[in-house]
Amino acid sequence: MKILSLIFLGLSLQIVQAPTMLAQQSAITKLSFEQIGSVASIPKRIAFISDIGGASSLYVVDPEHSDIDLLGKLHVEGVRVPAHDLVFSPDKKQVIFLSTKLGSGAALWISSTDGSNARKLIDWKWLIYGPFQASWSPTGDRFAFVIRKENSSAVYTMNVDGSGFHFVATGDRFSWSPDGHQIALTTYIPEKQGRYLEVVDIEGTNLRLISSAGRASECVWSPDGKQIAFMESRRETTVEPKYDVSVVRPSGQEKQTVIENVPLYSHLSWSPDSRFLSFVSNFEGSRGLYTWATHDASGKRFRFLSGVEAPFAWSPDSKRVAYGENIIRVVDITTEKTRILFHTSGFGGPLWLPDGNRVLMYNTLSTRRIDSDDVNLYVTRIEPQYISRLTAENLQVWDISSPPNGKVIAFTASAKGNNAASSRVYVINSDGSNERELAVPSIEPGWFAWSADGNKIAFVKEMLNCKKCRPGNLKIEVANADGSDEHTIVNQPAWNFAPAWLPDGKSVVFLSDRNNAHGVYLTDIKSKHTQLLADVSGSIPNHVRIERTDKFVPLVWSPDATKLATSSAVPRPGLIQVIDVKKPATFTFSGIAPWVLNWTPDSSRIAVADLVHGIAMNSITPTFVDLLAFDGSNRLRLMAPSTLSGALFRMAWSIDGKRFACSGITIFNADGSNQRFVVKGWNPVWVR
């Protein structure tokens, strides 16, 4: 097994697992939908590996119903839109943002959330310090914002149509009253040498002092209008600033301290029903969400939910909190159970839509780019309906494979925390039932193949204790899909490799270096009669390992098994060769460092990835994907240059050849159009 393991780690043979159509040297049987099953049972879902739930697990998704929908793109030509400074209306249908434009300064913009109707409200002529502080009125007809000048800050309001711009009061933090008629604000008063909490009518009249402690730094009005919560900094100096959190009546009466001397890592936030005041702090070394109940008959006013981070947002029914950047989670306030929204890894800034069933967010991976000129806004369902996890949390999945009919999925997995070397092979039904271990060494391409109906497997094992065997000699076994009735069909001492089934399930085609020559052979699984179909020694090196360069030759069969694509260091780097076994004939394509991904289902074209340039850089060199006719007569750019990972990037064509899935997981039409992100993951295969 040591020799077998070394071969497994070294060989990078990427033999496509689609069923081989060779019946004889000159006879080709086409794979039809009838051989796969009825049209209704043709694989339409995608199985993939992802770490969206923690460890790398096996998932299945219906790509027609992604749980992530693009709501809109905020884009204004020549204007930079800052993702972290978007301020949404109460119904989440409009958004304001402070943008910058090269050479013309900043401006205040308003737009529909789907990206339409973007218009500039005013030019921003004032100096900008710190983040954009703004908030819509509860009625949604106007908004207030802070303007920071050289030595002061003040709150202003404006109607949504750009009219009614006026000064309200001096201050740098504020919160609307629920009826939209007043604003609570914190401000520095020079003559009193301190920061104070005040309330003022929205017209700027009737300004009155609410808290006189002189240390107020932030405030938020409760949705029922009965209390104002605010933060006060501590007098003593500490390495990490500490605060007291209090509540008070809008009249200034009945001040009550909620918690003292804690660090705060978020803004104060009320639940929509005004039952809970919440903020992120720490407790006994653990960071999380404090919730303080305004009324609790049990006497348990405080609860601490460990692991909750900012930013966070309450659901409209006040029963759940969505939180996080990059990975968004939802915690149930009653049960304290937390789960990841599977489809949201790579997204952030969660805000609940009014229906309480969806969350609005943006893509954090793209918007954190300094040169980003637009922001994509997405909507995700709280209850995933189309993504299913098939494997347990204690298993870490490394690779997957599925037969053309998509009935079952084979996968390699190891206990969580272990490496791939300790993995075993399992098989599971595509609905997640009947998981069982499969006694095969590997499901890597070239080592393992499914029959077209998914009922049988062919696989490679090392030849041991046999006469005339050389180190690394391999035999070919066949068995039922569950591993039963295993028996050897090819055991002549040689490097017998890359098995693939004919559609009728009666014969297996494979490669062998017997008689000191590389050849394509065909074996009947019952009689074990073997015949040579083609000598390909002139196109393939004498052995798959090239001693001079210590590189390995990848081999990719076309679905009809009449053509073999290779990308290697032989005869020289940067070449892809396509060998037509029937003729025989060889076609060559050049590139920087191209590698073969797979063939289209009709065996007429190959998908090839290549580097944009050959210059070594600190970051990953961008790559692109082209679709090539095997004879070089046609070339189509499928995917524009992107930072694809050579180790994780895979493609999988649908049986009808009309579209493909690739690592992402992203769906494309066959010509590369209509790109649609589905879920974060890799190694896609089509299943029922």
Side-chain angles (χ1 to χ4, degrees), residues 254-423:
E254 300 182 32
K255 178 182 177 182
Q256 179 182 0
T257 299
V258 173
I259 195 170
E260 296 180 317
N261 198 29
V262 295
L264 293 177
Y265 307 117
S266 73
H267 298 300
L268 302 179
S269 177
W270 288 96
S271 61
D273 62 5
S274 299
R275 287 183 57 211
F276 301 102
L277 176 65
S278 57
F279 49 88
V280 175
S281 185
N282 59 27
F283 177 72
E284 295 182 350
S286 176
R287 185 176 298 193
L289 185 72
Y290 274 99
T291 63
W292 177 76
T294 55
H295 301 285
D296 194 321
S298 66
K300 186 179 180 181
R301 304 290 293 273
F302 258 120
R303 299 174 68 186
F304 181 75
L305 304 176
S306 179
V308 178
E309 280 284 3
F312 68 89
W314 284 90
S315 63
D317 61 7
S318 301
K319 294 180 179 180
R320 295 164 292 180
V321 169
Y323 64 95
E325 285 280 319
N326 189 41
I327 295 180
I328 297 177
R329 293 173 170 85
V330 173
V331 58
D332 186 291
I333 297 301
T334 302
T335 64
E336 300 187 9
K337 291 184 177 180
T338 300
R339 65 180 177 85
I340 295 175
L341 292 184
F342 288 153
H343 43 289
T344 56
S345 181
F347 294 77
L351 289 174
W352 294 78
L353 294 185
D355 60 16
N357 295 318
R358 296 175 297 162
V359 168
L360 173 68
M361 59 195 175
Y362 56 80
N363 190 312
T364 61
L365 299 182
S366 62
T367 56
R368 283 175 180 168
R369 292 177 52 193
I370 296 176
D371 59 348
S372 177
D373 291 329
D374 51 49
V375 176
N376 290 334
L377 298 174
Y378 297 84
V379 171
T380 176
R381 295 171 183 83
I382 294 304
E383 297 297 335
Q385 301 174 12
Y386 310 112
I387 300 175
S388 301
R389 181 174 182 165
L390 302 188
T391 52
E393 293 184 5
N394 63 335
L395 282 181
Q396 185 160 336
V397 180
W398 302 94
D399 204 357
I400 59 175
S401 175
S402 183
N405 64 10
K407 288 182 178 179
V408 294
I409 307 165
F411 62 95
T412 59
S414 60
K416 191 173 180 179
N418 292 345
N419 56 34
S422 63
S423 63

Side-chain angles (χ1 to χ4, degrees), residues 3 6 10 17 77 172 196 252 267 338 360 401 417 424 432 438 440 447 463 465 471 483 496 572 576 600 647 674 681:
I3 295 175
L6 290 174
Q17 301 299 307
E77 193 66 33
D172 52 16
Y196 296 87
H267 298 300
T338 300
L360 173 68
S401 175
R424 297 182 179 181
L438 194 61
V440 301
W447 295 85
M463 300 180 71
N465 303 320
N496 304 299
R572 67 178 179 81
I576 288 179
T600 55
N674 196 27

Side-chain angles (χ1 to χ4, degrees), residues 14 16 556-559 565-567 576-578 589 594-610 624-630 634-639 644 649-653 660-662 669-670 672:
Q14 303 172 25
V16 167
V556 183
W557 283 105
S558 62
T566 72
S567 52
I576 288 179
Q577 294 185 108
V578 178
F589 309 94
W595 69 92
V596 178
L597 295 172
N598 60 13
W599 289 79
T600 55
D602 63 2
S603 300
S604 65
R605 295 173 293 175
I606 56 174
V608 175
D610 198 3
F624 58 83
V625 175
D626 279 354
L627 195 61
L628 310 176
F630 80 92
N634 184 270
R635 187 170 189 145
L636 173 68
R637 178 63 47 86
L638 284 183
M639 295 177 61
L644 305 174
F649 185 78
R650 304 283 179 85
M651 288 179 62
W653 292 90
F660 63 88
C662 67
N669 290 342

